[in-house]
Amino acid sequence: MESEHMSAFALYKTLQPELPPPAKKPCQRVQVEVKKKKKKVNGPAVAIVKNTRAKRRKIRNKLVKAANKEESKKTGPDETKHQKEESVTAESLDAVLTELTRVNNSKERASKLFQWLLKPVPAKYFFRETWEKKPVYVQRKNPDYYKGLFSTAEFDRILRKENVQYGVNLDITSYVNGKRETHNPPGRALPFTVWDFYDSGCSVRLLNPQAFSSTVWNVLSILQEKFGSMAGANVYLTPPGTQGFAPHYDDIEAFVIQLEGKKHWRVYSPRSEDEVLPVLSSPNFDQAEIGKPILDVVLEAGDLLFFPRGFIHQGNCLPDAHSLHITISSYQKNSWGHLLQKVIPAALEVAMEEDVEFRRGLPLNYLTYMGVQNSDKVDPRREIFLSRVEKLIKKLPNFAPVDAAIDQKAKEFFHDCLPPVLTPDELATSVQGAPARWENGKVKNVGVHITTQTKIKLLRAGCARLYGGDAVHLCYTIDNSRVYHKEEPKSIEIQTEHTDAVEFLIHSYPNFVTVGTLPCDSVQDKIALAELLFEKGIIHTSEPLQAPPAVQSE
């Protein structure tokens, strides 16, 4: 994998295509499309490559359309549309997750789960009227609505069975007389000490419950495909009559789900335009700094509170009940500005390479009339200088490697992602359900049969993505850790002549396609690519694969 400290220009260069050798097919759609001056010396070669790519793209698109048309015949023309528009019918979380295992499109699965999370607020209305704009309070009067997501009993089990470390997985906090404190001792968090802190009036925060709870892991791994951004969570357990945290705002979109007891919440508008959708979380505030709340509610079990990043909030327990809630978060560092932080430096370096105007020297004496100390001077040279800067900035979009920057954002997201939780069908038809085993002192069912008739598809819509460089790589999320960034980013090298086939698979999702339809040069290439992707867990088959028949030895 590439170094995190690679320069923007080097990053851009690694994504540039090179003319392939004559015997090999050109790598498609991995190149960065940047407006460049055409070099006449390469004119004929470039034209040949472009024509070849156009033909390959046309063939690949026809294959994708044919695969989608074939799949639509099975479901009927209106069924897919109907499935996308309807929400899950189950009420309990366990039933919801069971129902979602029967949805064969992970994007649709994410939409359905998100709609259940917000119910009765329509998701389209939420994103149009509320997302990044204002808080929402959903009162359900149904304490069992989120039952099964997490509980205090589960918290206790985790403390007893798992290696929970103070400061890494768990925080002990308090907020008394306007002072916020953290009381983490070193080492492992064991029930004896944790419950003593709680009994003394301290709040307990579990920082990464998805690492210990399969249900939280499942929910977040589904929702991350809805957001296209990391979905994280913290669990907060607060004793009656206490408050664990000072007023503050966060740099994430927050969905507060009340699981047990109740909690009093106050939410405040951003104090100024500078604090609207902030890049970083705030320090702790005093009450005198935040004004009056725009929302003052008591969340009870089954209720939901959403507030965008930048909205100051604080929650305290009433004297008659403890509180357990989980905050699901997303959209951290996922703004236009964060994208442009990658685009603009790369655009500048490309511009300096390709346009002599960016390489011309600064005026000899520019320090005498430019800079803060000269900013109040009336000097025509300042106007000329600033006009030149403006002219160069206006040219930058011509050199902006936007697709390359987006690919870098995608690689970061793929590293952030949780691995998918496999449904029973996916388990049975993926490499994890392959029949190879040890039985009666012998290895049985080693190897599987993949033929041109085997039907395959990606395990998830967003589980794999192509990116280029000296070689073409496929990054994937299947082997990620449930602990944030515990594993290095995962990728495999793809032969250049196989990129069309991988793109075909990506764009065919959620439909199964036969291995024989993969746009590769030979049958051997089609099967070899399918076997590679199957062994890495990136694809699964429509039916469980059968092991080859046993060979009888004499």
Side-chain angles (χ1 to χ4, degrees):
M1 298 303 295
E2 297 166 355
S3 168
E4 292 181 357
H5 302 291
M6 178 180 292
S7 73
F9 183 59
L11 175 156
Y12 165 77
K13 292 297 288 184
T14 62
L15 294 173
Q16 290 296 295
E18 296 180 359
L19 285 179
K24 292 187 177 181
K25 302 180 212 175
C27 169
Q28 291 219 37
R29 294 172 62 88
V30 181
Q31 76 277 8
V32 180
E33 296 179 2
V34 181
K35 295 180 181 178
K36 291 188 174 183
K37 295 179 181 178
K38 295 180 181 178
K39 298 180 181 179
K40 294 182 180 179
V41 67
N42 287 333
V46 170
I48 292 171
V49 171
K50 286 185 175 179
N51 289 337
T52 304
R53 287 174 176 167
K55 290 177 182 177
R56 297 297 299 268
R57 190 178 298 113
K58 189 174 182 180
I59 293 170
R60 185 181 65 247
N61 290 340
K62 283 184 178 180
L63 288 170
V64 172
K65 288 180 181 178
N68 292 340
K69 185 177 181 181
E70 185 65 26
E71 190 69 18
S72 67
K73 289 179 182 177
K74 300 175 185 177
T75 59
D78 298 326
E79 186 175 346
T80 302
K81 181 180 178 182
H82 177 66
Q83 288 175 346
K84 288 181 180 178
E85 292 177 350
E86 70 182 9
S87 181
V88 287
T89 57
E91 285 295 331
S92 72
L93 178 59
D94 185 59
V96 166
L97 294 176
T98 300
E99 184 177 331
L100 290 178
T101 63
R102 297 189 285 271
V103 178
N104 72 348
N105 184 334
S106 60
K107 290 289 187 185
E108 183 183 339
R109 193 180 300 158
S111 293
K112 287 176 178 288
L113 181 59
F114 184 70
Q115 181 59 79
W116 175 83
L117 190 79
L118 288 179
K119 187 178 179 180
V121 179
K124 287 184 179 179
Y125 173 86
F126 172 81
F127 283 112
R128 185 178 67 248
E129 303 293 337
T130 302
W131 179 254
E132 295 189 332
K133 296 182 181 73
K134 61 185 179 182
V136 168
Y137 166 49
V138 178
Q139 184 180 35
R140 291 204 175 86
K141 297 189 181 298
N142 178 3
D144 294 331
Y145 191 80
Y146 294 116
K147 187 176 181 179
L149 180 54
F150 200 81
S151 67
T152 307
E154 176 77 350
F155 213 146
D156 185 72
R157 182 201 66 78
I158 290 170
L159 291 174
R160 295 179 185 281
K161 301 293 185 180
E162 306 287 351
N163 184 14
V164 178
Q165 294 286 316
Y166 287 110
V168 177
N169 312 114
L170 184 140
D171 283 331
I172 303 292
T173 68
S174 66
Y175 181 69
V176 180
N177 296 326
K179 185 178 181 181
R180 155 80 160 84
E181 291 187 277
T182 300
H183 309 279
N184 292 338
R188 181 177 172 182
L190 291 166
F192 179 84
T193 307
V194 171
W195 293 128
D196 185 55
F197 274 122
Y198 175 85
D199 197 47
S200 301
C202 292
S203 291
V204 185
R205 175 172 64 177
L206 187 61
L207 297 170
N208 49 353
Q210 63 272 18
F212 307 106
S213 165
S214 295
T215 303
V216 176
W217 167 30
N218 195 3
V219 167
L220 296 182
S221 70
I222 295 172
L223 289 177
Q224 67 191 7
E225 287 207 55
K226 179 65 178 178
F227 297 122
S229 175
M230 176 188 169
N234 287 342
V235 169
Y236 300 83
L237 178 63
T238 312
T242 68
Q243 180 170 333
F245 294 87
H248 67 282
Y249 62 71
D250 294 314
D251 59 346
I252 47 90
E253 304 295 302
F255 298 83
V256 177
I257 296 171
Q258 192 69 25
L259 301 171
E260 295 175 7
K262 52 189 176 181
K263 197 166 198 177
H264 175 214
W265 283 91
R266 284 165 287 174
V267 182
Y268 308 77
S269 291
R271 300 177 304 169
S272 67
E273 283 296 316
D274 292 341
E275 293 182 358
V276 173
L277 303 178
V279 174
L280 300 173
S281 296
S282 74
N284 295 329
F285 294 122
D286 293 329
Q287 291 294 146
E289 297 179 278
I290 58 180
K292 294 182 179 180
I294 60 169
L295 189 64
D296 191 325
V297 296
V298 174
L299 257 64
E300 299 188 8
D303 293 347
L304 171 74
L305 174 63
F306 164 81
F307 44 82
R309 55 195 190 275
F311 278 74
I312 300 168
H313 53 277
Q314 60 179 325
N316 64 281
C317 266
L318 302 177
D320 60 339
H322 79 285
S323 169
L324 180 76
H325 79 265
I326 184 170
T327 298
I328 293 176
S329 62
S330 190
Y331 257 58
Q332 187 178 49
K333 295 182 174 64
N334 203 43
S335 68
W336 283 100
H338 289 103
L339 174 62
L340 291 175
Q341 282 178 343
K342 297 181 180 297
V343 172
I344 292 174
L348 274 171
E349 296 200 50
V350 176
M352 291 178 70
E353 182 190 60
E354 299 195 352
D355 189 333
V356 68
E357 291 302 313
F358 286 86
R359 301 195 299 270
R360 295 195 188 281
L362 292 165
L364 287 175
N365 59 346
Y366 77 101
L367 294 178
T368 63
Y369 57 86
M370 296 304 300
V372 174
Q373 70 180 32
N374 301 310
S375 59
D376 293 331
K377 283 186 176 181
V378 178
D379 190 323
R381 293 175 300 174
R382 286 183 58 81
E383 293 182 12
I384 295 171
F385 190 97
L386 293 173
S387 176
R388 182 70 173 272
V389 171
E390 182 180 358
K391 179 182 176 182
L392 292 175
I393 289 175
K394 285 182 177 179
K395 294 178 72 173
L396 275 181
N398 297 323
F399 307 98
V402 177
D403 286 323
I406 288 173
D407 281 345
Q408 294 304 308
K409 287 286 293 177
K411 286 169 66 176
E412 291 175 356
F413 171 48
F414 269 50
H415 192 198
D416 294 343
C417 275
L418 286 164
V421 178
L422 302 189
T423 68
D425 284 344
E426 290 167 346
L427 184 61
T429 56
S430 69
V431 69
Q432 295 192 37
R437 65 187 186 279
W438 177 271
E439 186 178 284
N440 298 327
K442 295 181 179 179
V443 173
K444 290 193 172 184
N445 297 328
V446 176
V448 293
H449 275 315
I450 290 182
T451 71
T452 56
Q453 298 306 309
T454 303
K455 292 184 177 181
I456 60 174
K457 76 170 182 178
L458 291 183
L459 201 62
R460 291 286 187 278
C463 75
R465 185 182 180 95
L466 282 169
Y467 65 94
D470 294 334
V472 181
H473 285 79
L474 185 70
C475 53
Y476 58 96
T477 65
I478 309 302
D479 293 335
N480 283 11
S481 171
R482 290 162 63 177
V483 176
Y484 180 71
H485 286 190
K486 184 178 180 180
E487 298 286 339
E488 292 297 314
K490 305 297 181 183
S491 68
I492 54 174
E493 185 173 335
I494 297 295
Q495 294 181 34
T496 304
E497 56 267 29
H498 289 168
T499 55
D500 284 343
V502 175
E503 282 192 1
F504 172 57
L505 270 174
I506 291 172
H507 297 309
S508 294
Y509 187 89
N511 297 326
F512 284 98
V513 297
T514 60
V515 172
T517 61
L518 297 179
C520 296
D521 278 345
S522 66
V523 170
Q524 290 78 10
D525 281 349
K526 297 172 194 273
I527 293 176
L529 177 61
E531 287 178 340
L532 171 65
L533 298 178
F534 183 81
E535 289 172 4
K536 290 295 183 181
I538 297 170
I539 63 171
H540 69 113
T541 56
S542 61
E543 301 291 338
L545 290 177
Q546 299 299 315
V551 177
Q552 299 293 330
S553 58
E554 296 183 2

